[in-house]
Amino acid sequence: MATFTFSLCFLLSFTFLFVLVHPSSSSSSPYLYPSTFTKNYNNMLTSFKIFIYPTTERITFFTQSASNFYDSLLNSAFITQEPEEAHLFFVVFSPEISTRSQARLVRELRTKYPYWNRTLGADHFFISPEGIDFSSDRNALELKKNSVQISVFPTVSGKFIPHKDISLPPVSKSSLVLSHAPVNMDRSFLGYLKWDGKTEAELVEELRLDSEFVVETEPLDQLGRVKSSKFCLFFYEAESTADLTEAMAAGCVPVVIVDRPVQDFPLMDVLRWSEMALLIGNRRGGQGLKAVLGGVPEDRYERMRGLCVAAAHHMVWNAEPQPYDAFHMVIYQLWMRRHTIRYTRREEF
């Protein structure tokens, strides 16, 4: 995996650097706010500080992206031992913790430290790969409603609050080493789907019968198939979206098959997902899906493809974090949330 991520970052660097040097061209930039991105990122590097509440518990995250982020954060320069200089506070707990234990932990923080009560947890964050649910307990509810949750993509509906919570870019389970796809590369297939053999079998069977689509369960040449397809299809589930970054880097525009809006894309507050990916409902069936993809104008497709290639750099996890990679972009989203509203406690009215 380390060899793969290094190679992918190296091969993506030229397009990525071009985008940074020319941030004013919004049509070619993958960023929501291209004119301020680089300045804000550099400010983050020099000033952002995070205080981690002490814990005697050994924490292990079984989800690779959560583990990568946690390990990288512990060894980063963003950590401070002085809570008074911290912008945000990290509440550490096991992914297997119960709601009752969450409430007890927040109660202890409220009693032992002054920082939670200043904002009722709004300048705090935690990692919960699957996301936490709402609770009637006041302490657990404040953690859910006020603190920033970092979870995997996709997160179960109802366990993710848009514009507050953050989802982690997926870590690929493949060993693909991708380079940029040439702009004029011949795309032999309309769509490619790596299938788990279970999800939405009826739709998949329709696609199997269409020569413009490639459906594989055990790909022998996944890289070749991805590079030769205009669109890469993903079901809205963790197993399916694992190769999202590789598809983007290869210029294969992602299509998420889902029957509701997606509000938890990785780096949602940074990247222009509405111009890089398509959402298509499963209810359309194979022919409906084909009609939508076939109806995308060529100029729009090329713009989407270019934005995907430019943005893929930010979705890569490295054993040793590199500038602008997945770790730093998650930190950047935390940095964007450092300005919090001070809540007034009910008894202060």
Side-chain angles (χ1 to χ4, degrees), residues 110-129:
R110 169 177 273 120
T111 303
K112 187 174 182 179
Y113 300 92
Y115 313 112
W116 184 277
N117 288 329
R118 294 189 308 193
T119 64
L120 300 187
D123 55 357
H124 289 56
F125 71 93
F126 61 93
I127 300 174
S128 175

Side-chain angles (χ1 to χ4, degrees), residues 47-62:
S47 61
F48 191 32
K49 293 299 178 185
I50 295 169
F51 177 76
I52 303 179
Y53 286 111
T55 178
T56 57
E57 184 180 4
R58 181 178 176 84
I59 304 298
T60 300
F61 292 101
F62 302 104

Side-chain angles (χ1 to χ4, degrees), residues 33-204:
Y33 309 105
S35 62
T36 59
F37 171 69
T38 304
K39 179 181 178 181
N40 287 340
Y41 178 89
N42 288 332
N43 286 341
M44 172 200 76
L45 291 180
T46 58
S47 61
F48 191 32
K49 293 299 178 185
I50 295 169
F51 177 76
I52 303 179
Y53 286 111
T55 178
T56 57
E57 184 180 4
R58 181 178 176 84
I59 304 298
T60 300
F61 292 101
F62 302 104
T63 305
Q64 190 62 54
S65 56
S67 179
N68 286 359
F69 177 75
Y70 180 66
D71 292 342
S72 295
L73 178 60
L74 294 184
N75 295 294
S76 75
F78 298 110
I79 301 303
T80 178
Q81 303 302 319
E82 301 296 332
E84 293 299 334
E85 68 177 23
H87 298 92
L88 293 182
F89 298 82
F90 181 19
V91 182
V92 184
F93 52 77
S94 167
E96 299 175 331
I97 192 173
S98 66
T99 301
R100 178 177 295 181
S101 295
Q102 290 172 7
R104 183 169 59 249
L105 175 59
V106 172
R107 192 160 49 246
E108 291 172 356
L109 295 180
R110 169 177 273 120
T111 303
K112 187 174 182 179
Y113 300 92
Y115 313 112
W116 184 277
N117 288 329
R118 294 189 308 193
T119 64
L120 300 187
D123 55 357
H124 289 56
F125 71 93
F126 61 93
I127 300 174
S128 175
E130 304 302 324
I132 65 173
D133 217 334
F134 286 91
S135 169
S136 59
D137 183 279
R138 169 196 171 183
N139 296 288
L141 186 60
E142 286 181 4
L143 181 71
K144 171 65 179 179
K145 293 181 64 175
N146 299 343
S147 302
V148 178
Q149 171 185 281
I150 298 178
S151 56
V152 300
F153 172 73
T155 304
V156 175
S157 178
K159 292 189 175 183
F160 186 92
I161 301 178
H163 308 299
K164 176 182 76 71
D165 295 339
I166 295 171
S167 65
L168 297 165
V171 177
S172 175
K173 293 183 178 180
S174 74
S175 57
L176 300 182
V177 179
L178 303 180
S179 60
H180 284 312
V183 175
N184 298 318
M185 182 177 180
D186 179 40
R187 302 277 170 169
S188 305
F189 303 102
L190 182 60
Y192 172 80
L193 172 64
K194 180 183 175 182
W195 188 43
D196 62 5
K198 298 174 291 185
T199 309
E200 304 294 351
E202 185 176 342
L203 171 62
V204 173

